[in-house]
């Protein structure tokens, strides 16, 4: 028995074998054997005690998406486990690699409605890549190896390991083998040379090519290859929300963001291009608008590592089932050097209208109250456009996507597919822990900030130097915008009475300022960025400020509102 260890210790050893250094979690009875053994591993495994399990999983998401490694969460059974379900769904949609470890009641009590028993595996099978219950100590090492392999291979995503108390306290002989293969699971498909040749032929004969970029480019580490590809074929580049920062904002070929609140140039061009090359993106409804009118004139080349995405929403004329980087490496020698000056000029003309009609109005507002766009731009400029921007969901998210400049990859962390309010603050904590060398700026609204405001305690305890900007309009701003534009200004249940955020920050020992006037903005942002510690700016903004342009739900992507009364019309 001297050489045997408990399943709890095997779990921790397995995490070390997989290169884990940081864990986000919250202890409880069913996972207590693991936490007891963690006491002996605290020099090797840095545990971050959050204030709510939802904070743990969002922090792990921020950590994973910023670092490119797998985030790890440990929680107890019952409510501890169910509190991570929103984050699991969020991570699944946004392709974020996580391993979530939950405690479970002893195997003999399963199915008896024991105290804090929940069937987490059944609940999470549809929102994870793999969910598995471990009932025997000897199965812990192989379960850990399998979990990490599945979570980070292919299209990344979350995995759940539900570990019964028996497995935590039982004994086993320690042996660990990292996993590199699972029969019938092919996470790394080989590039099809025929598909590459067909795609190259379309691209080489295109007069109006358009490249659409999603998060798959960042996940595959293909940002350099993307830049070479775009420059070689001289094609304008546009990004989905999660694809932002895959291509430098200042590059001459970058034309902006796609979708409902995207830039005019790429949205207009979508229904003008003759060839669209979509890389690592899934044609989300916020990108396509009404699919009946989406890019009917274009031949579409779709590159994705997940073949379930092909023809799911938009028909692909050529589908390349492969890792984005491998696909681009295969395409590069086959595509010709081209020039599409006239085509690119047309996108620039569209964006010039946007600058004149929308951006200048937002950035040079004559009213007494600040706008969201000018605040975001000020934060971006003060950070040298090198910060990692982490947003919540709503107007703050769209304004950050539009007005924050990105010069480095993995620089925007946000909840895309699920749109989870409360995501931003804990995700910013995880991002800063992953990248202490970079400035991390959380930008949120007053509604989302209060959903996970308790994580200020995590910032306090661990001295996480997150810079926080609350765009405070005393409204649920994004819902208010829809009520303003489409529901006759009937602001039902969107006005919000808020507390004194500065006083709350002070209670956690965090420096904070209130910013109410335009003349205060520059100096306040400069003080925040210069601070070596966490800092909060509560900025009062104009509640009537709208995120524009806008393509309303159900409209074609080139149906673009410049304001509530005017639509964009292209004039050559």
């Amino acid at each position: 028995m001297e050489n045997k260890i408990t399943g709890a210790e095997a779990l921790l050893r397995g995490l070390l074998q997989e290169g884990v250094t940081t864990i986000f979690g919250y202890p409880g009875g069913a996972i207590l054997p693991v936490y007891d053994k963690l006491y002996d591993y605290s020099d090797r495994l840095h545990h971050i005690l959050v204030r709510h399990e939802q904070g743990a999983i969002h922090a792990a998401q921020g950590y994973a998406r910023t670092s490119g490694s797998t985030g790890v969460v440990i929680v107890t059974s019952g409510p501890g486990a169910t509190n991570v379900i929103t984050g699991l769904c969020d991570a699944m949609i946004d392709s974020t690699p996580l391993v979530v470890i939950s405690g479970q009641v002893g195997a003999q009590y399963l199915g008896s409605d024991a105290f804090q028993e929940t069937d987490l595996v059944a609940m999470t099978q549809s929102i994870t890549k793999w969910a598995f219950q471990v009932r025997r100590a000897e199965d812990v090492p192989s379960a850990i190896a399998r979990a990490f392999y599945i979570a980070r291979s292919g299209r990344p995503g979350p995995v759940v390991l539900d570990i019964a108390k028996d497995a935590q306290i039982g004994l086993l002989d320690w042996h660990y083998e990292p996993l590199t293969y699972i029969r019938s699971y092919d996470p790394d498909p080989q590039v099809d040379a025929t598909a590459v040749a067909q795609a190259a032929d379309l691209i080489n004969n295109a007069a109006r090519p358009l490249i659409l970029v999603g998060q798959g480019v960042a996940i595959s580490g293909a940002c350099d290859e993307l830049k070479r590809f775009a420059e070689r074929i001289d094609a304008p580049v546009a990004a989905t929300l999660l694809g932002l920062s895959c291509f430098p904002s200042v590059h001459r070929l970058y034309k902006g963001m796609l979708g409902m609140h995207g830039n005019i140039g790429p949205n207009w061009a979508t229904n003008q291009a003759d060839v669209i090359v979509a890389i690592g993106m899934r044609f989300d409804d916020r990108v396509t608008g009404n699919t009946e009118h989406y890019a009917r004139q274009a031949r579409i080349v779709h590159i994705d590592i997940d073949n379930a995405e092909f023809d799911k929403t938009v028909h692909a004329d050529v589908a390349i089932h492969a890792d984005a980087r491998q696909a681009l490496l295969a395409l590069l020698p086959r595509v010709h050097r081209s020039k599409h000056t006239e085509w690119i000029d047309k996108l620039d003309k569209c964006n010039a209208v946007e600058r004149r009609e929308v951006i200048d109005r937002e950035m040079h507002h004559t009213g007494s109250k600040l706008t969201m766009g000018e605040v975001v731009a000020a934060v971006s400029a003060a950070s040298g456009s090198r910060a990692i921007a982490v947003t919540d969901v709503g107007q703050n998210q769209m304004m950050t996507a539009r007005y924050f400049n990105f010069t480095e990859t993995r620089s925007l962390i946000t909840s895309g597919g699920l749109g989870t309010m409360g995501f931003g603050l804990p995700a910013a904590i995880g991002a800063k822990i992953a990248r202490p060398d970079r400035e991390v700026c959380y930008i949120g609204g007053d509604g989302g900030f209060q959903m996970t405001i308790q994580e200020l305690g995590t910032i306090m305890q661990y001295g996480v130097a997150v810079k926080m900007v609350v765009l405070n309009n005393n409204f649920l701003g994004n819902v208010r915008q829809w009520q303003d534009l489409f529901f006759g200004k009937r602001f039902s249940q969107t006005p919000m009475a808020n507390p004194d955020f500065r006083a709350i920050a002070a209670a956690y020992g965090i420096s904070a300022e209130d910013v109410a006037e335009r003349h205060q903005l520059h100096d306040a942002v400069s003080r925040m960025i210069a601070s070596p510690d966490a800092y909060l700016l509560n900025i009062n903004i104009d509640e009537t400020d709208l995120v524009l342009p806008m393509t309303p739900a159900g409209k074609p992507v080139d149906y673009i509102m410049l304001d509530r009364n005017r639509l964009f019309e292209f004039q050559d």
Side-chain angles (χ1 to χ4, degrees):
M1 298 289 286
E2 292 183 0
N3 295 323
K4 291 184 179 293
I5 63 171
T6 65
E9 183 166 8
L11 168 61
L12 300 178
R13 287 191 185 185
L15 295 180
L16 289 171
Q17 288 283 326
E18 295 293 340
V20 175
T21 59
T22 303
I23 300 166
F24 301 90
Y26 205 96
I31 197 67
L32 203 52
V34 171
Y35 273 90
D36 179 66
K37 185 50 65 174
L38 183 62
Y39 192 86
D40 300 328
Y41 283 76
S42 58
D43 59 333
R44 286 164 283 176
L45 290 169
H46 184 210
H47 182 278
I48 303 297
L49 176 65
V50 296
R51 299 305 185 262
H52 190 281
E53 291 88 356
Q54 184 180 358
I57 194 162
H58 292 330
Q61 287 176 272
Y63 183 93
R65 286 172 55 183
T66 306
S67 66
S69 58
T70 303
V72 177
V73 177
I74 300 181
V75 295
T76 194
S77 63
T82 59
N83 280 342
V84 302
I85 286 178
T86 295
L88 286 169
C89 188
D90 194 291
M92 186 67 174
I93 297 174
D94 286 353
S95 306
T96 306
L98 299 180
V99 172
V100 175
I101 297 158
S102 61
Q104 184 55 275
V105 300
Q108 69 272 32
Y109 299 113
L110 290 170
S112 69
D113 293 330
F115 178 66
Q116 292 192 332
E117 179 198 359
T118 57
D119 190 349
L120 187 64
V121 170
M123 280 191 262
T124 60
Q125 282 180 330
S126 66
I127 53 171
T128 57
K129 287 186 74 177
W130 185 52
F132 182 70
Q133 188 173 80
V134 183
R135 300 186 182 186
R136 304 186 310 161
E138 55 264 41
D139 295 332
V140 169
S142 61
I144 289 289
R146 192 179 185 94
F148 275 86
Y149 176 63
I150 292 173
R152 61 190 171 208
S153 60
R155 181 177 180 172
V159 166
V160 163
L161 287 182
D162 191 45
I163 305 183
K165 210 162 187 179
D166 312 56
Q168 297 174 50
I169 61 178
L171 298 175
L172 71 150
D173 293 312
W174 170 249
H175 176 69
Y176 195 86
E177 289 186 20
L179 197 63
T180 59
Y181 170 77
I182 297 175
R183 190 170 56 130
S184 78
Y185 173 56
D186 182 16
D188 188 22
Q190 297 301 303
V191 179
D192 183 340
T194 301
V196 169
Q198 292 171 343
D201 184 59
L202 287 178
I203 294 165
N204 289 334
N205 288 287
R208 300 181 306 281
L210 178 64
I211 300 173
L212 310 184
V213 178
Q215 187 186 205
V217 172
I219 292 171
S220 69
C223 295
D224 289 342
E225 289 75 15
L226 169 66
K227 185 169 175 285
R228 288 165 53 201
F229 176 72
E231 290 173 346
R232 187 173 183 85
I233 68 171
D234 197 41
V237 177
T240 67
L241 176 64
L242 295 188
L244 293 173
S245 83
C246 290
F247 201 84
S249 300
V250 295
H251 195 285
R252 69 173 185 86
L253 291 174
Y254 182 69
K255 302 306 171 187
M257 184 175 71
L258 297 160
M260 178 174 283
H261 292 295
N263 296 100
I264 292 176
N267 279 344
W268 172 84
T270 295
N271 282 358
Q272 300 293 322
D274 59 352
V275 173
I276 290 175
V277 183
I279 311 171
M281 54 91 75
R282 60 190 179 89
F283 291 104
D284 175 76
D285 63 287
R286 289 295 172 100
V287 164
T288 64
N290 188 329
T291 54
E292 291 298 315
H293 300 278
Y294 183 81
R296 290 300 185 190
Q297 78 297 330
R299 305 293 297 276
I300 293 178
V301 176
H302 191 180
I303 300 170
D304 207 285
I305 200 166
D306 184 356
N307 62 3
E309 295 299 340
F310 299 132
D311 298 332
K312 185 176 77 175
T313 305
V314 173
H315 171 69
D317 294 275
V318 179
I320 302 178
H321 181 209
D323 170 81
R325 183 170 182 271
Q326 297 304 316
L328 286 171
L329 286 172
L331 273 170
L332 273 165
R334 290 178 170 269
V335 293
H336 302 158
R337 292 193 179 278
S338 304
K339 280 292 180 185
H340 298 104
T341 305
E342 185 178 345
W343 167 235
I344 293 169
D345 285 347
K346 289 185 176 181
L347 275 78
D348 290 338
K349 287 179 180 178
C350 293
N351 284 345
V353 172
E354 182 175 343
R355 280 192 299 274
R356 184 173 64 251
E357 300 291 336
V358 178
I359 296 174
D360 285 350
R361 184 174 61 207
E362 181 75 15
M363 295 298 297
H364 304 292
H365 191 52
T366 57
S368 60
K369 295 183 180 180
L370 288 160
T371 66
M372 293 175 281
E374 65 181 315
V375 173
V376 170
V379 174
S380 179
S383 72
S385 297
R386 297 178 63 86
I388 297 170
V390 185
T391 83
D392 215 272
V393 170
Q395 288 180 313
N396 64 86
Q397 178 186 40
M398 293 296 101
M399 286 298 197
T400 301
R402 288 182 51 79
Y403 291 96
F404 208 98
N405 287 323
F406 302 103
T407 59
E408 300 182 31
T409 60
R410 295 186 179 273
S411 290
L412 177 65
I413 310 300
T414 192
S415 172
L418 194 61
T420 304
M421 288 181 67
F423 171 90
L425 183 60
I429 294 171
K432 184 62 178 177
I433 290 171
R435 292 299 304 270
D437 57 313
R438 293 187 65 184
E439 200 73 76
V440 174
C441 297
Y442 159 76
I443 300 174
D446 43 314
F449 180 58
Q450 291 180 86
M451 284 195 170
T452 48
I453 196 171
Q454 72 279 352
E455 298 308 327
L456 292 175
T458 307
I459 291 173
M460 174 188 68
Q461 180 166 345
Y462 297 99
V464 186
V466 173
K467 309 303 167 61
M468 296 164 278
V469 177
V470 178
L471 303 176
N472 188 348
N473 60 5
N474 293 105
F475 266 93
L476 295 176
N478 207 46
V479 183
R480 185 194 186 281
Q481 174 162 334
W482 283 57
Q483 291 172 330
D484 184 346
L485 295 176
F486 311 120
F487 289 87
K489 299 183 183 293
R490 293 159 57 88
F491 301 123
S492 174
Q493 305 307 313
T494 46
M496 176 175 281
N498 288 323
D500 186 337
F501 291 132
R502 182 178 178 181
I504 291 173
Y508 285 100
I510 297 170
S511 298
E513 296 184 50
D514 290 323
V515 177
E517 303 291 338
R518 185 166 284 108
H519 68 85
Q520 299 173 310
L521 179 63
H522 179 269
D523 288 347
V525 170
S526 296
R527 284 189 292 270
M528 177 185 73
I529 295 296
S531 173
D533 304 313
Y535 209 99
L536 185 144
L537 294 182
N538 173 48
I539 302 182
N540 294 329
I541 59 167
D542 186 350
E543 69 275 7
T544 66
D545 194 15
L546 301 177
V547 186
L548 294 167
M550 181 178 187
T551 296
K555 295 293 186 180
V557 71
D558 55 358
Y559 181 100
I560 302 168
M561 296 172 60
L562 296 174
D563 60 34
R564 58 172 48 84
N565 298 313
R566 286 188 305 148
L567 296 178
F568 169 75
E569 293 183 11
F570 180 78
Q571 294 181 353
D572 203 348

